[in-house]
Amino acid sequence: MTADPVTAQQLSPGAEVPATVRASLSPSRAADFKTCPLLYRFRSIDRLPEQPTVEQARGTLVHAVLERLFDLSPAGRTPRAASDLVAPQWERLVAEQPELAALFTDDGEARSAFLRSAAGLLQGYFTVEDPRRLEPAERESLISAVVDEELLIRGYLDRLDVAPDGALRVVDYKTGGAPREAFEARALFQLKFYALVLWRTRGVVPRVLRLLYLKDAEVCDYTPDADELVRFERTVVALWRAIEAATAAQDFRPRPSRLCDWCSHQRLCPSFGGTPPPFPVGPNPADSLRDSRSRPVRPGTDE
């Protein structure tokens, strides 16, 4: 089964968004709404600030190193070379996002321990893959497509491998430990999102969706099929319509769970005795359609 060019359009970087598109949705924001509608509102509509955590910064740093690792010649992609990239990449990230420097104010030892922990995760990467034998087709690539004529779906691929026969493998690096079933479902939701975009724009269902858990040096492979992606597309469109309905009604309710322990907005959540801010007024406050060229450390992303 191939992509239908009438119902799905590929957008190259910098391309103008079709006039029919009314909203955009990323896997992170979709997962937010599935997890807790109020969290989606805080992040996507109120756009409340969240200070990046050490864990999020570490994930972004490791992703940056793995992206740069493949700039080296195959023979040069060694554990030592990856470790040597850690400090320079951290300095680059801090220069681009100065707020990251606040994570280790006046504490050189904490910063050093942070960099060592990132290097340790990179050693886990070399346990599960040999980058000398790989030539990724794309790295840290923004992909997007229009579905249902009105919804732009998009996200960043950590890595896309293309076999000589054209088969696609989507690879996502995870810097946390291998998750329990509920958390793994969230990770696979993200990868199915990417698989849908690739199928709808290239006409090829990815052969493998691969999660690399660097902390535990584990690999999780999943093989989707076209029928599954058709159902998933319906799920994504239905999710978007639920977001639109909640926006029109200004009704985003909390959904308490164990994930509340990591939420930055408990003081504003009714489940914890808080009161959300007044609902923003004006143009549709949902995710902007503006195309971003960088991938900053952003709370709630799937680093």
Side-chain angles (χ1 to χ4, degrees), residues 12-299:
S12 58
E16 184 176 348
V17 176
T20 57
V21 171
R22 297 193 293 110
S24 69
L25 193 62
S26 70
S28 294
R29 300 289 75 81
D32 283 346
F33 189 82
K34 283 166 56 70
T35 299
C36 174
L38 185 59
L39 176 63
Y40 173 90
R41 180 198 147 171
F42 286 155
R43 284 178 169 163
S44 297
I45 296 179
D46 298 295
R47 296 187 180 274
L48 299 180
E50 295 182 29
Q51 177 64 34
T53 67
V54 170
E55 290 74 19
Q56 289 162 348
R58 183 185 297 111
T60 299
L61 173 57
V62 170
H63 279 73
V65 170
L66 290 174
E67 180 185 8
R68 297 301 188 276
L69 183 67
F70 286 98
D71 289 336
L72 304 177
S73 66
R77 299 168 192 165
T78 64
R80 176 61 182 270
S83 294
D84 288 345
L85 287 169
V86 171
Q89 287 304 307
W90 177 244
E91 292 171 3
R92 179 183 65 82
L93 288 172
V94 171
E96 294 175 355
Q97 303 171 61
E99 66 273 15
L100 294 177
L103 292 172
F104 307 108
T105 303
D106 300 325
D107 192 342
E109 178 54 37
R111 177 182 177 278
S112 296
F114 167 78
L115 296 179
R116 288 195 300 270
S117 68
L121 288 171
L122 290 165
Q123 301 312 302
Y125 167 73
F126 284 90
T127 301
V128 295
E129 276 195 338
D130 182 355
R132 296 172 300 177
R133 303 176 61 184
L134 299 168
E135 285 299 338
E138 298 180 29
R139 291 170 282 149
E140 292 292 328
S141 177
L142 177 63
I143 60 171
S144 60
V146 176
V147 297
D148 200 45
E149 298 185 350
E150 297 180 320
L151 178 64
L152 175 69
I153 59 174
R154 60 185 179 183
Y156 280 94
L157 291 174
D158 287 348
R159 199 178 84 213
L160 180 66
D161 300 333
V162 180
D165 65 357
L168 304 181
R169 178 172 63 192
V170 179
V171 180
D172 197 69
Y173 308 123
K174 296 299 182 186
T175 51
R180 295 183 294 275
E181 184 176 350
F183 292 86
E184 186 169 294
R186 179 184 173 107
L188 285 175
F189 177 88
Q190 175 192 4
L191 289 187
K192 289 179 184 179
F193 207 99
Y194 300 150
L196 173 60
V197 174
L198 291 169
W199 178 49
R200 284 304 194 188
T201 57
R202 307 188 188 193
V204 179
V205 175
R207 181 176 295 172
V208 177
L209 307 179
R210 172 165 292 180
L211 293 161
L212 298 183
Y213 292 101
L214 308 187
K215 182 178 179 181
D216 295 332
E218 292 187 15
V219 178
C220 174
D221 281 348
Y222 184 82
T223 301
D225 59 41
D227 289 340
E228 179 180 13
L229 293 183
V230 167
R231 295 191 298 270
F232 185 76
E233 182 174 8
R234 295 192 188 113
T235 297
V236 170
V237 171
L239 191 63
W240 166 55
R241 296 196 187 283
I243 291 171
E244 284 214 318
T247 302
Q250 300 185 8
D251 184 13
F252 290 85
R253 301 182 184 183
R255 185 175 297 152
S257 71
R258 290 173 295 172
L259 295 175
C260 293
D261 293 340
W262 291 276
C263 183
S264 300
H265 308 296
Q266 287 188 10
R267 63 183 180 84
L268 298 173
C269 178
S271 295
F272 294 87
T275 301
F279 201 86
V281 297
N284 187 349
D287 269 348
S288 169
L289 297 178
R290 181 175 56 85
D291 202 7
S292 173
R293 286 292 172 274
S294 61
R295 187 181 189 182
V297 178
R298 181 180 178 190

